[in-house]
Amino acid sequence: MAQPEIASAGSCCLLGIVSDDLLYVANLGDSRAVLGEKGNGRVVAERLTTDHNVGVEEVRKEVEARHPDDAKIVIHARGVWRIKGIIQVSRSIGDVYLKKPEMSRDPLFQQFGTPVPLKRAVMTAEPSVTVRKLNPEDMFLILATDGLWEQLSDEAAVDMVLKNPRAGIARRLVRAALQEAAKKREMIYKDITKIEKGVRRYFHDDITVIVMFLDHPSGRLRAKASSVDCVSSPADIYSSSNGSNKDHS
């Protein structure tokens, strides 16, 4: 293994594809896809994905059912539920050390991480896939990492997209989430954006947002490339110096 530290790195993944009148969404981890649609005279939020996070009781029971011989497969640690006391998400790209039991016995890897004795894999890279037929009532799709949803509800995000101009709407959502994170710490937005790399990670999770507007010309649905607005919050919310793979935990 040329770079054993890579085995402890991981990421969530969220993919949305529109083909003809069908929307395909694949999800690993706790990023989330939310659809804004017209219903009962108003625009409502429809969540299209399941958060693969053991903080969700259904997911926690799913993991426990796969490991009936391990009473500590999911434990409450540092204020939240975690698999083996380490990680919150049950599915991801990477995190090989939690998917390959032999990693804990590799002397080279042991130099870069604390061995986690495993009988079998405790995470998976198998995505949840949703296929949905789109209709003229479907207005837009929000794809975002958990950093957004920890601060804004599905309904609040949909309402913000509905009531603001399309141009720059993803950036507006990121800013709103950062403002909420600052408020929880009794800070102002300007101050939280000045926090240095490696420290800011303790104030809020990573925030990446894509908003896709679904237009329906001539009775057919089409997602216009020009209608996609994407923005990531500043790179200093990530910490590459603390030796942790917890970008997604």
Side-chain angles (χ1 to χ4, degrees):
M1 186 183 298
Q3 294 179 293
E5 66 273 19
I6 292 178
S8 63
S11 177
C12 297
C13 182
L14 177 62
L15 173 69
I17 298 175
V18 174
S19 178
D20 294 323
D21 292 341
L22 293 177
L23 170 64
Y24 300 83
V25 177
N27 181 47
L28 279 170
D30 50 9
S31 294
R32 188 181 301 170
V34 174
L35 188 71
E37 59 179 331
K38 298 175 183 175
N40 298 321
R42 60 192 182 94
V43 175
V44 298
E46 179 184 349
R47 188 181 301 185
L48 301 181
T49 52
T50 296
D51 295 349
H52 300 142
N53 187 310
V54 290
V56 178
E57 184 177 6
E58 179 183 353
V59 177
R60 188 162 64 251
K61 288 182 176 179
E62 176 186 284
V63 173
E64 291 170 341
R66 291 201 301 265
H67 302 270
D69 56 344
D70 188 348
K72 295 184 178 180
I73 183 63
V74 181
I75 63 175
H76 203 263
R78 302 190 298 283
V80 295
W81 290 100
R82 298 176 186 270
I83 295 176
K84 303 302 288 186
I86 299 170
I87 195 167
Q88 291 178 258
V89 294
S90 60
R91 307 189 193 194
S92 72
I93 293 174
D95 294 307
V96 180
Y97 76 115
L98 293 174
K99 296 173 182 174
K100 300 286 186 180
E102 61 269 24
M103 288 296 300
S104 65
R105 300 186 292 272
D106 189 321
L108 191 57
F109 175 71
Q110 290 176 11
Q111 299 176 31
F112 295 91
T114 303
V116 183
L118 302 175
K119 294 180 180 179
R120 65 185 74 87
V122 296
M123 296 182 70
T124 177
E126 181 180 353
S128 292
V129 179
T130 299
V131 182
R132 186 188 190 283
K133 183 174 178 59
L134 293 171
N135 57 67
E137 285 69 45
D138 300 326
M139 300 179 66
F140 51 82
L141 179 68
I142 305 172
L143 304 170
T145 59
D146 63 319
L148 180 78
W149 308 114
E150 287 176 357
Q151 310 300 336
L152 301 179
S153 67
D154 297 4
E155 293 74 18
V158 164
D159 190 58
M160 183 169 291
V161 174
L162 179 67
K163 294 180 178 179
N164 288 280
R166 291 188 176 189
I169 188 59
R171 185 177 299 277
R172 187 182 294 272
L173 285 167
V174 170
R175 184 183 179 95
L178 292 177
Q179 288 174 330
E180 286 298 315
K183 188 185 301 181
K184 291 176 181 178
R185 295 300 188 101
E186 298 183 342
M187 302 170 63
I188 61 174
Y189 170 80
K190 185 177 180 181
D191 289 341
I192 203 170
T193 60
K194 292 180 179 179
I195 298 174
E196 63 183 18
K197 178 180 178 180
V199 177
R200 187 156 161 193
R201 182 65 177 78
Y202 295 99
F203 288 75
H204 64 85
D205 214 332
D206 60 293
I207 310 173
T208 301
V209 179
I210 297 175
V211 179
M212 179 181 292
F213 291 92
L214 305 169
D215 297 321
H216 309 264
S218 303
R220 288 185 59 80
L221 181 140
R222 181 173 62 200
K224 295 183 177 179
S226 60
S227 296
V228 178
D229 185 32
C230 174
V231 65
S232 295
S233 51
D236 66 356
I237 66 171
Y238 298 94
S239 176
S240 60
S241 61
N242 63 3
S244 171
N245 71 317
K246 300 303 184 292
D247 282 356
H248 56 301
S249 64

